[in-house]
Amino acid sequence: MLDMLDAAGVRYLFHAFASGVADDAVVFESKSGPLAIPATVVVDCTGDGDVAAAAGADFEVGREEDGLTQPMTLMFRMVEFDRGRFADYVREHPDQWRGVLGLWDLVARAQAAGELELPREDILFFATPHAREVSVNSTRTNPGPAIDTWALTAAEWASRRQMRQIVRFLREWVPGFEDAYAAQSGTVIGVRETRRVVGEYMLTGEDVLQARAFDDAVARGSYPIDIHNPRGEGTVLKRLPPGTAYDIPLRCLIPRSTDRLLVGGRCISGTHEAHSSYRVTPIAMATGHAAGVCAALASSSDLPPREVPHTDVQQELLRQRASLRPELAQRLTEPEPDRR
Ligand SMILES: Cc1cc2nc3c(=O)[nH]c(=O)nc-3n(C[C@H](O)[C@H](O)[C@H](O)COP(=O)(O)OP(=O)(O)OC[C@H]3O[C@@H](n4cnc5c(N)ncnc54)[C@H](O)[C@@H]3O)c2cc1C
């Protein structure tokens, strides 16, 4: 990835934290003191919309009814895991499973013995490319919005405690984990939801579930609405009709109250419900791609992002082999009819 950035002539800066905006620059805190990086157009991909908020963009946080956000989760990987023994155990004890993901009988017994306080309804295991490794997604904590540093600190600590307990439970109770140990956790807790910057259009849960098409689409997604309960156990999962995808309009990447800013990734414009779908990695990558293309066109044509024709963004995205709705892609790439 770094080789690609070098090949493209990108000048990048690590170890710098965007903390504000001043005149035509974004201000970063760094080891060498505050740095002001001037820019004609800025793309905020902080996940939290930090730069957008500092620039005065409108934003929303959490559910409409109470402002609560999805909980945070620290993921970790265990190694020296015996996948075969674990799979045998699962096959031999199907009655102990709630679906294929719950380890419910053992969890209930460990909880009754006071050895586990699982804050959610499942233990999610993800296979990795390594046979003796498993990734575990099962901590859950929500002491407050993750843009509040005190809440983030409390969440970090709570999730690390939970991780210690879950690792002990897996090693002591679950066949296949006898020799396993936690080799690595996320360097920081994972945050699902914070600011949603309000753009020229706000994608809704209905747009997602109805697989709605938009003329100014610059990305698309098909991941379900997936809301982990902000208050504890339970996850809402609502799927799109099979084989369909929804569009994300360019307007969702253009904050309505700023001029030279775009957003990409999970902080784009949408409701709490829509966010729970477009927050995932492939869709965040696609909106980041679109925001970058629009920013480059805005900068080279000396226009604010909202005045860049959406068809120009779409054409460039298609040239760069982005995935857009096939009918739209076909319409945009059809040769102009010969009018002689
Ligand atoms: C526990 C968990 C499990 C998940 N599981 C899946 C899954 O299985 N599949 C899936 O597709 N998605 C999953 N997701 C969702 C997905 O990982 C994220 O929503 C997605 O990565 C968001 O991408 P992003 O680029 O918007 O933000 P991020 O990936 O969070 O990137 C933002 C970057 O900006 C940096 N940054 C933040 N603030 C500043 C600042 N002020 N200055 C400078 N830099 C800053 C951060 O350090 C980070 O590097 C999961 C999320 C969580 C929390």
Side-chain angles (χ1 to χ4, degrees):
M1 190 188 73
L2 294 176
D3 285 345
M4 289 167 79
L5 290 176
D6 285 344
V10 176
R11 191 169 171 224
Y12 44 82
L13 181 69
F14 295 139
H15 304 286
F17 188 86
S19 61
V21 293
D23 300 326
D24 289 342
V26 177
V27 178
F28 291 83
E29 304 305 322
S30 78
K31 281 280 192 194
S32 34
L35 293 167
I37 309 281
T40 48
V41 182
V42 174
V43 182
D44 182 341
C45 285
T46 59
D48 299 324
D50 285 358
V51 179
D58 298 331
F59 61 83
E60 292 182 356
V61 180
R63 304 194 286 205
E64 206 177 338
E65 61 271 28
D66 54 15
L68 289 181
T69 55
Q70 292 205 46
M72 295 171 247
T73 292
L74 178 75
M75 289 188 60
F76 57 90
R77 288 186 297 120
M78 294 186 75
V79 296
E80 298 302 333
F81 160 63
D82 189 337
R83 194 184 286 179
R85 186 163 152 67
F86 178 70
D88 287 345
Y89 171 76
V90 172
R91 257 193 302 274
E92 285 159 19
H93 299 81
D95 53 316
Q96 294 191 359
W97 288 77
R98 197 191 273 175
V100 286
L101 297 174
L103 202 53
W104 226 248
D105 187 54
L106 294 181
V107 168
R109 278 158 47 199
Q111 282 182 321
E115 292 185 23
L116 181 68
E117 291 164 55
L118 198 65
R120 59 195 276 182
E121 69 288 357
D122 51 18
I123 293 193
L124 289 180
F125 295 118
F126 292 86
T128 80
H130 306 287
R132 293 185 64 77
E133 181 183 80
V134 64
S135 176
V136 186
N137 172 343
S138 277
T139 64
R140 178 177 283 186
T141 176
N142 207 13
I147 42 174
D148 170 344
T149 308
W150 294 105
L152 200 53
T153 302
E156 189 77 53
W157 179 210
S159 66
R160 286 185 188 279
R161 266 196 181 126
Q162 288 174 17
M163 169 180 152
R164 188 171 59 187
Q165 204 180 58
I166 293 168
V167 168
R168 199 182 302 137
F169 160 72
L170 292 171
R171 281 171 56 87
E172 287 177 14
W173 291 74
V174 183
F177 281 90
E178 293 86 348
D179 298 326
Y181 62 93
Q184 190 181 42
S185 73
T187 47
V188 293
I189 191 169
V191 173
R192 290 190 175 80
E193 181 184 10
T194 50
R195 296 187 189 94
R196 293 173 281 108
V197 176
V198 179
E200 306 256 309
Y201 182 77
M202 201 180 235
L203 201 75
T204 67
E206 245 175 53
D207 294 336
V208 169
L209 291 176
Q210 292 175 2
R212 195 163 163 208
F214 291 91
D215 272 350
D216 61 336
V218 288
R220 59 191 185 134
S222 60
Y223 187 71
I225 287 191
D226 172 14
I227 305 176
H228 297 235
N229 184 0
R231 285 193 189 278
E233 287 192 9
T235 303
V236 172
L237 207 64
K238 294 184 197 164
R239 294 183 192 282
L240 283 73
T244 64
Y246 62 89
D247 282 344
I248 299 181
L250 178 59
R251 284 165 295 156
C252 289
L253 315 187
I254 302 178
R256 70 176 177 199
S257 48
T258 55
D259 279 333
R260 294 193 289 124
L261 184 69
L262 285 142
V263 284
R266 69 173 161 82
C267 58
I268 68 166
S269 177
T271 62
H272 169 75
E273 288 74 24
H275 172 279
S276 74
S277 167
Y278 64 65
R279 69 187 172 89
V280 293
T281 313
I283 309 175
M285 192 178 87
T287 56
H289 185 188
V293 164
C294 183
L297 293 174
S299 178
S300 60
S301 57
D302 211 13
L303 288 172
R306 66 170 55 78
E307 285 177 28
V308 175
H310 64 78
T311 46
D312 288 3
V313 179
Q314 292 166 325
Q315 301 273 15
E316 181 56 23
L317 281 170
L318 287 172
R319 197 187 66 76
Q320 296 182 15
R321 295 192 287 172
S323 169
L324 298 183
R325 184 178 289 274
E327 310 86 86
L328 178 69
Q330 197 182 354
R331 195 177 351 128
L332 286 161
T333 49
E334 261 169 16
E336 286 281 301
D338 191 346
R339 293 208 170 82
R340 279 175 300 177

